[in-house]
Amino acid sequence: MRFVNKNIYFLIIFFIVSLILTFLLLGAENFSIKGYLYSENYDLISDQLAFKFFINDQWHFPIGKNPNYGIEVGNSIVFSGAVPILSFLFKSIARFLPNNFQFITIWFVICFTLQLFFSYLIINHFTRKKLYSFISSFFFIICPVLLYRIPIHITLVAHWIILFCLYYEITNTNYIKKETFYSLIFPLSILIHFYFLPMLMIIKYSFLLKDYIDQKDLKKNFREIVIPLVPLVIVAYISGYFQISAFDAMGFGYGFYSFNLAGFIDPQSTNDSINWSMFFTDIKNTNGQAEGFSYLGIGGIILFIFFLIIFFKGKETVQFSKLPFIFIFLICFLLSISNNIYLGNNMIFEYQLPKLIYGLLSIIRASGRFIWILYYLIIIFGIISIFQLFNNKNKSIFMISFILIIQAIDISPALKNYYKANAFNKIEIKNTNEEFWKTISEDFKIIRTTYFKNSSNIYPYISNQILENDFLRTDISRLGRYDRSKASSNRNRLYFDLNNKQLDKNTAYVIDNINHLRYLKYLYLMENMGFFFVDGVWLMLSGYKNKMSQNDIDKFDQIKIVEIKENTKHNFMTSGLMEPLGLGWTFSSENKGIWTEGNEFNILFKFKPKINKTYKIKLKISSIISKPNEYLNGFVKINGQINRNFKFKNLSKGFIEFSIPNIKDETYKVDIIIKNPTSPLDLLQSPDGRMLGLLIESLEII
């Protein structure tokens, strides 16, 4: 491009600066394309895991399909933070890359270079002063809103694509037609991270609306709208965005992950996080509003003040049309604050959204991120205002340099944490268990959990070991989006295999919770099954029983079945550690009981019956889910024998009661079988794809 050729020397300088910044950020040990960055940061580990399984797999179609990470939940590399465009590139040349290749260093250098370059181009467009623009560009590389993202979501460090789009629209360049430009940048945005697409659309269509108001050329404007959507849809399809349904693209968070009205002067993302200011103190907010973190810094606040001075003086300080920026401001501001508007820790206003609108906005659930566009416009306008106010070249350079220094001093408490990978919560892999993990990754090529969910309880304990070792497939993962219905179906299939002892001999099972462990111990105690407690998790390994250490045996012996007392109500809680539950249970958002999921659910407990007395089990049912005009059908088994059938219809509350026999070893295994579970998604009640049946509140033996 012509604007690149004219500024090639600055591009080279910015590249060198970016290399230095990346080196300081990662440290010499991690400034490499080889070797993973082990961390306590869930998303950072997940990004590397997704990339590792993708690059080591064969090609599929869609080309972003990543079935080895997540295992059959509709996963694609586009639903991770592994920078899809780089993942495609590096997978195509994987044979030439070293083992343990990682892309983080390359990505940061690219992002820092382009962040500096496009900010320089924007300022230079208005000032025509290269030195002033060069100095000003460093504001954009030390913005807290950018730096905050670095250790959390590495893909979202690509703020340069926002600046690129702003530069194109502000300059109204004729180097490339709008249809062509957006036919390239829209697909590029989704090959970086989906969230950038709606941001770029807001910028584009705000300027397009102004163009229509001025020229009334409907045919031209229609062409500019439609043409870029064609390559966008094609690239989305090929890369794997349609691996999941529109319902699965929705998620919890709109109205929670928002921007706080005090966000520009609040130096902490959450109430217990790093303080980004030497001068300001924390303004209490809600935890979800970390997504809208946007502290301007003292320097940024000064720039904002200068812009307001110019604005209210009514001087024409910048040569651009104001109307598109009004559109951008209104749209981004309203999206970012959401329908729950907070000032500090106080909600000052809220309003209900129609379900259809809320569902659509749930696709961009972390709406606080839309404040980024306004953030950069404040910085841009402030820098230009200073140049206009201090018309003298030397004075304006001195002033912008002074404000830049103040900005660096103000955010220095946080900058200290960005030296030598400190910000990444880096950890060292425990060498004490190195041989164990190496051995099982050779003997078991698949490692999976007994309860797949997107934020697994065991993920923080084991994810680094999966990254370090040579497993070929895993469902211990964190994904931006996934097929909830497939996840529920796979859980149900796994429960069937575990209950019927049809295990995959090539799979290492990581036990999700203590309730599963108690139940699996009962099922497999007499089998050739090894149970190992390693790095904070229990593993179940087929054929490994004789390899259990004495420490494993001692810990395993401490796992006891829960005992239930007569006439004592046992209330079920999702997070309970002493639950008499086996497989087939899932959480309730109502926090009142626990749902059955799938077709079979187990209850395991000890009970000491009195001689010559008959007992009943009473299960309190808080709710059911069933299709309209259809019964929920099922039956109960006790220690393998069918005890009674049941069916419910339109039940809000009720009971299942059944007698239990006296059993010599006092161990009772109750299996509840439901023939026709259904999901809230099937009933169009919510995007929840879990196959549910009964919401059981409590158990009582009477």
Side-chain angles (χ1 to χ4, degrees), residues 466-523:
I466 298 174
L467 185 62
E468 167 71 8
N469 292 282
D470 296 326
F471 297 104
L472 298 182
R473 305 186 76 197
T474 186
D475 65 355
I476 302 171
S477 58
R478 285 172 64 88
L479 304 168
R481 299 290 190 274
Y482 65 99
D483 190 318
R484 299 182 183 96
S485 297
K486 285 185 178 179
S488 184
S489 175
N490 289 342
R491 282 193 292 267
N492 195 26
R493 189 183 310 123
L494 175 62
Y495 298 152
F496 178 87
D497 291 341
L498 290 171
N499 275 311
N500 292 278
K501 301 181 181 179
Q502 298 177 6
L503 300 189
D504 180 1
K505 304 299 183 183
N506 197 33
T507 298
Y509 295 90
V510 186
I511 301 173
D512 180 78
N513 58 71
I514 189 66
N515 301 319
H516 281 192
L517 178 60
R518 278 192 289 264
Y519 182 72
L520 292 170
K521 176 182 179 179
Y522 170 83
L523 280 185

Side-chain angles (χ1 to χ4, degrees), residues 28-55:
E29 182 182 353
N30 303 298
F31 187 74
S32 170
I33 61 171
K34 185 177 181 180
Y36 301 116
L37 191 57
Y38 303 107
S39 170
E40 294 178 345
N41 183 322
Y42 295 179
D43 291 297
L44 176 62
I45 292 300
S46 182
D47 295 344
Q48 295 177 93
L49 279 168
F51 178 75
K52 174 184 176 179
F53 283 103
F54 180 74
I55 198 173

Side-chain angles (χ1 to χ4, degrees), residues 43 55 65 105 125 193 214 299 302 310 380 403 500 548 613 668:
D43 291 297
I55 198 173
K65 191 173 182 180
T105 302
H125 169 75
H193 197 289
D214 289 344
I302 293 172
I310 290 292
I380 291 168
I403 297 173
N500 292 278
M548 291 175 66
K613 184 174 181 180
Y668 291 81

Side-chain angles (χ1 to χ4, degrees), residues 32-36 48 51-52 55 86 90-91 93-94 97-104 106:
S32 170
I33 61 171
K34 185 177 181 180
Y36 301 116
Q48 295 177 93
F51 178 75
K52 174 184 176 179
I55 198 173
L86 290 187
F90 293 133
K91 184 170 182 173
I93 57 172
L97 299 176
N99 292 331
N100 299 337
F101 172 80
Q102 62 92 353
F103 62 93
I104 296 175
I106 296 172

Side-chain angles (χ1 to χ4, degrees), residues 318-572:
V318 286
Q319 305 303 313
F320 59 83
S321 177
K322 295 179 180 178
L323 192 57
F325 294 102
I326 295 174
F327 295 148
I328 292 171
F329 175 86
L330 290 175
I331 296 170
C332 290
F333 183 70
L334 291 174
L335 282 176
S336 64
I337 61 173
S338 79
N339 61 320
N340 299 319
I341 304 171
Y342 281 85
L343 178 61
N345 207 28
N346 301 308
M347 180 184 287
I348 61 173
F349 186 69
E350 65 175 323
Y351 57 93
Q352 294 296 318
L353 290 167
K355 288 186 177 181
L356 177 61
I357 301 299
Y358 183 81
L360 292 173
L361 291 175
S362 294
I363 297 174
I364 52 167
R365 61 196 187 99
S367 66
R369 297 172 182 176
F370 284 84
I371 203 66
W372 299 346
I373 302 176
L374 301 190
Y375 188 102
Y376 284 116
L377 288 176
I378 289 172
I379 301 298
I380 291 168
F381 295 164
I383 290 171
I384 297 168
S385 298
I386 286 178
F387 182 80
Q388 296 291 336
L389 279 171
F390 297 89
N391 209 9
N392 180 284
K393 177 183 176 182
N394 292 331
K395 286 183 179 179
S396 63
I397 290 175
F398 172 80
M399 192 63 187
I400 200 66
S401 300
F402 177 69
I403 297 173
L404 181 63
I405 292 170
I406 290 177
Q407 176 82 341
I409 292 172
D410 180 42
I411 66 173
S412 60
L415 289 179
K416 293 175 184 177
N417 291 282
Y418 281 75
Y419 182 58
K420 291 187 177 180
N422 289 334
F424 296 97
N425 295 322
K426 185 183 175 186
I427 63 172
E428 299 294 333
I429 295 291
K430 294 180 181 179
N431 292 326
T432 52
N433 299 319
E434 181 179 2
E435 194 59 37
F436 173 84
W437 286 108
K438 182 179 179 182
T439 299
I440 68 164
S441 67
E442 291 173 351
D443 293 347
F444 303 90
K445 290 304 179 183
I446 303 171
I447 184 167
R448 63 183 309 182
T449 173
T450 57
Y451 182 73
F452 169 82
K453 57 182 177 179
N454 200 34
S455 185
S456 172
N457 299 329
I458 61 176
Y459 185 85
Y461 300 101
I462 199 172
S463 53
N464 283 287
Q465 293 291 1
I466 298 174
L467 185 62
E468 167 71 8
N469 292 282
D470 296 326
F471 297 104
L472 298 182
R473 305 186 76 197
T474 186
D475 65 355
I476 302 171
S477 58
R478 285 172 64 88
L479 304 168
R481 299 290 190 274
Y482 65 99
D483 190 318
R484 299 182 183 96
S485 297
K486 285 185 178 179
S488 184
S489 175
N490 289 342
R491 282 193 292 267
N492 195 26
R493 189 183 310 123
L494 175 62
Y495 298 152
F496 178 87
D497 291 341
L498 290 171
N499 275 311
N500 292 278
K501 301 181 181 179
Q502 298 177 6
L503 300 189
D504 180 1
K505 304 299 183 183
N506 197 33
T507 298
Y509 295 90
V510 186
I511 301 173
D512 180 78
N513 58 71
I514 189 66
N515 301 319
H516 281 192
L517 178 60
R518 278 192 289 264
Y519 182 72
L520 292 170
K521 176 182 179 179
Y522 170 83
L523 280 185
Y524 289 93
L525 187 62
M526 305 307 293
E527 307 292 329
N528 184 15
M529 188 69 65
F531 290 83
F532 301 83
F533 187 73
V534 184
D535 290 338
V537 297
W538 280 96
L539 284 89
M540 186 172 75
L541 305 175
S542 180
Y544 262 51
K545 189 171 186 177
N546 62 351
K547 297 183 180 181
M548 291 175 66
S549 68
Q550 189 59 49
N551 183 57
D552 293 320
I553 294 171
D554 292 342
K555 282 185 174 294
F556 196 54
D557 287 342
Q558 295 172 18
I559 306 302
K560 305 296 183 183
I561 298 174
V562 175
E563 185 172 347
I564 301 294
K565 302 290 186 180
E566 180 181 350
N567 295 322
T568 301
K569 183 180 290 186
H570 186 100
N571 292 308
F572 292 123

Side-chain angles (χ1 to χ4, degrees), residues 447 533 578 629 679 684:
I447 184 167
F533 187 73
M578 292 301 293
N629 301 316
S679 72
L684 300 180

